[in-house]
Amino acid sequence: MPSGNDIDRFIKPHFIAFDGYSARKFPQTLSDKLGVPVDRVIKLDANENLYGCSPRVNQVLAGCSDINIYPDAGQTELRKLLQEYTGISANHIVVGSGSGDLIDLILRLLVEPGDEVISCVPAFSMFRFSIEMYGGKSVAVLRDKSFAVSVDAVKSAISNRTRVILLDNPNNPTGRVTSQRGILELINIGLPIVIDEAYIEFGGESVVSLVSQYDNLMVLRTFSKWAGLAGLRVGYGIFPTRIADYIMKIKLPYNVNVAAIIAVRESLRDIDYLMGNIRAIIAERERLFTRLQQVKSLKPFPSQANFILCAVVKGSAIELRQRLQEKGILIRYFNTPLLRNYVRISVGKPEHSDALISALQQIEEEING
Ligand SMILES: Cc1ncc(COP(=O)(O)O)c(C=O)c1O
C-alpha cells in the first residue's frame, strides 16, 4: 500500500503545486481566537451584505417542509423567476451554487490543461483558482495605474491557446468599472468572454441585454451581495442558449439546494426592501469614502461596488489588518507585487463605518504615541 507522500504519484500533476483558495476566516473561529464575542465582530472583509437578507427569507425557511426531497435539477421555477427578473428568456439562464460555481463550470467546459485564460488584474482571486483547477494557465493583463482595462493589452496577450477572457465588472478588489464600449470591444475580439457582474447592483452598466446578440458572451450574477444570501450560495449565469445547454449538462444535478430556491423566490418578492438596502449601501460607500480620505495613513480609490480599496501610504497593511482585528473589525489586506500594501474594506451600515473610523483614529494615535 502506498503511504505518506507516495500517494502523490496518483494525484493529477497540476494539483501537486496547486495553492488552493485562501478563503476568509469564519467569524466564530476569529472570535474564539481574539476573545471578541461573535456578535461584536464587524465583518468588512468579504463584501457581504451587512443588512442581511429579506426577512421573508427567514420566515419562509423556518417553515420549510421539503428538505427531505431533492431540488429540481432542471431549475424550472428558478429559471422562470430569473426570466421575469432579468427580462432574458429562461433558456439562456443557468443557476449555480453561487456564481463561483458557474465560473468553475465555464472553465470545466472550455479549458484543457495547457490552455490559456486571460484576466485583467488585479481581479477576483477565484478566477486564478478555477483556471488552475483545470490545468489552465492564467494570463494576467495588467490594469493601468487607475485600474482601467486596456483593450489593446488584452489583444496583445492573446495566443493560439487562449480559450476565455474573464472580466469582473465592477472589478474586485478595486471597485473600478469598465465602460460598455470597452466591453463591446472585448466581445468583438470573438473569443468566449465572461463578464462577472457580482457587484453590478452597486454600480456600472450591465451587458446582460447583449447576450442574445453574441454567441461568445456570458454574464454572471449573484444573490450573495445585493440580496444578502452569501451563506445560501446562489448565483446565475446568462449564456447564449448553446452554452447554457452545455452547462446544464455538465453541472452537478442538484447544485442549487431547496433553501436557496426558497430564498430566491422570497427575495424577488421583496425586491423593494432589498433595493432600499442597496441604496443605503451606495450612500454609505460615498460617506465612508470621504471619511477614509481624512485618514492620513490611507489613500482610498473611488468604487462602484460595495467595498473600497485603499493604499496604505503610511505603515503596513498587514499590521493595520492585525490591529483592527484585535478590535473585532475584519478587513482584507493585500501585499502582492500588484497590490503592495493595500487594504479592502467592505461597506456596511453607518454604525460599522463609524466603528471602523474611530478604530483607525485610535490606531493612528497609538502609533504616533
Ligand atoms: C467578482 C466576484 N465574482 C464572484 C464572486 C462570488 O460570488 P458567489 O458568492 O456568488 O460565489 C465574488 C465574491 O466575492 C466576486 O467578488
Side-chain angles (χ1 to χ4, degrees):
M1 283 288 278
S3 66
N5 291 346
D6 283 353
I7 202 74
D8 278 9
R9 62 201 166 86
F10 295 99
I11 305 293
K12 292 184 190 176
H14 73 269
F15 283 136
I16 301 287
F18 185 58
D19 280 342
Y21 184 72
S22 146
R24 297 307 93 223
K25 286 220 172 55
F26 196 56
Q28 186 67 58
T29 322
L30 276 168
S31 156
D32 294 346
K33 204 170 111 195
L34 298 171
V36 178
V38 74
D39 57 347
R40 288 208 22 236
V41 171
I42 299 180
K43 199 168 177 309
L44 305 178
D45 62 341
N47 306 337
E48 291 141 332
N49 187 328
L50 297 199
Y51 284 85
C53 64
S54 152
R56 292 184 65 121
V57 172
N58 296 118
Q59 279 155 21
V60 179
L61 280 182
C64 166
S65 60
D66 289 344
I67 286 172
N68 57 325
I69 305 295
Y70 287 110
D72 170 20
Q75 307 180 338
T76 317
E77 182 197 354
L78 277 179
R79 295 171 92 192
K80 190 162 163 283
L81 286 172
L82 290 168
Q83 165 176 307
E84 283 158 22
Y85 176 58
T86 60
I88 310 285
S89 83
N91 57 350
H92 287 273
I93 300 172
V94 184
V95 192
S97 171
S99 54
D101 185 23
L102 294 160
I103 297 170
D104 175 81
L105 284 164
I106 292 166
L107 298 176
R108 191 182 307 173
L109 184 69
L110 300 175
V111 173
E112 296 214 77
D115 285 345
E116 293 179 4
V117 179
I118 291 178
S119 47
C120 299
V121 297
F124 180 36
S125 51
M126 182 84 82
F127 289 170
R128 198 172 134 212
F129 166 84
S130 299
I131 295 164
E132 293 178 356
M133 177 77 80
Y134 294 102
K137 185 171 164 234
S138 172
V139 175
V141 173
L142 288 187
R143 289 166 177 265
D144 72 12
K145 273 211 165 64
S146 68
F147 302 120
V149 167
S150 152
V151 176
D152 287 340
V154 171
K155 286 184 178 160
S156 355
I158 291 170
S159 80
N160 59 4
R161 291 302 302 259
T162 310
R163 292 292 175 273
V164 199
I165 299 169
L166 300 177
L167 181 74
D168 46 358
N169 187 44
N171 169 249
N172 176 10
T174 68
R176 170 87 204 212
V177 296
T178 303
S179 68
Q180 205 178 89
R181 218 189 69 209
I183 293 178
L184 269 170
E185 279 185 68
L186 293 171
I187 297 170
N188 282 321
I189 292 173
L191 284 165
I193 177 164
V194 178
I195 305 298
D196 178 345
E197 296 187 348
Y199 301 98
I200 200 74
E201 288 80 7
F202 302 102
E205 208 181 342
S206 174
V207 289
V208 136
S209 62
L210 300 179
V211 171
S212 57
Q213 297 165 45
Y214 294 91
D215 62 7
N216 59 329
L217 172 63
M218 298 164 257
V219 179
L220 301 184
R221 295 273 187 86
T222 180
F223 278 73
S224 294
K225 313 295 178 183
W226 70 277
L229 296 182
L232 284 180
R233 314 302 304 125
V234 54
Y236 59 99
I238 313 274
F239 300 99
T241 53
R242 203 167 165 75
I243 298 184
D245 291 347
Y246 280 117
I247 302 268
M248 285 299 283
K249 271 201 294 202
I250 67 169
K251 74 177 179 64
L252 289 178
Y254 308 120
N255 64 331
V256 183
N257 68 60
V258 169
I261 297 170
I262 291 173
V264 168
R265 191 190 299 141
E266 296 307 320
S267 299
L268 295 177
R269 283 181 181 155
D270 210 5
I271 206 87
D272 291 345
Y273 170 83
L274 293 169
M275 291 293 167
N277 292 347
I278 295 171
R279 282 194 296 275
I281 292 167
I282 294 172
E284 186 53 25
R285 175 183 71 205
E286 301 314 314
R287 193 180 78 101
L288 178 61
F289 180 80
T290 310
R291 297 189 73 191
L292 288 169
Q293 280 181 312
Q294 290 151 9
V295 176
K296 287 191 200 68
S297 54
L298 298 179
K299 176 180 177 257
F301 288 82
S303 166
Q304 296 292 299
N306 66 342
F307 52 82
I308 297 175
L309 182 76
C310 303
V312 179
V313 289
K314 210 166 143 226
S316 97
I318 185 162
E319 189 188 337
L320 183 61
R321 193 278 306 251
Q322 187 58 31
R323 282 174 178 260
L324 283 171
Q325 189 169 292
E326 282 156 16
K327 297 178 190 296
I329 300 176
L330 311 184
I331 62 166
R332 174 90 194 255
Y333 87 97
F334 299 90
N335 198 15
T336 61
L338 269 179
L339 289 176
R340 191 65 80 205
N341 220 29
Y342 282 76
V343 293
R344 190 197 65 200
I345 301 167
S346 307
V347 179
K349 294 180 177 177
E351 63 258 38
H352 301 130
S353 305
D354 292 346
L356 170 80
I357 295 292
S358 87
L360 287 170
Q361 283 162 350
Q362 265 179 31
I363 291 168
E364 285 199 343
E365 280 163 24
E366 282 161 21
I367 290 174
N368 298 327

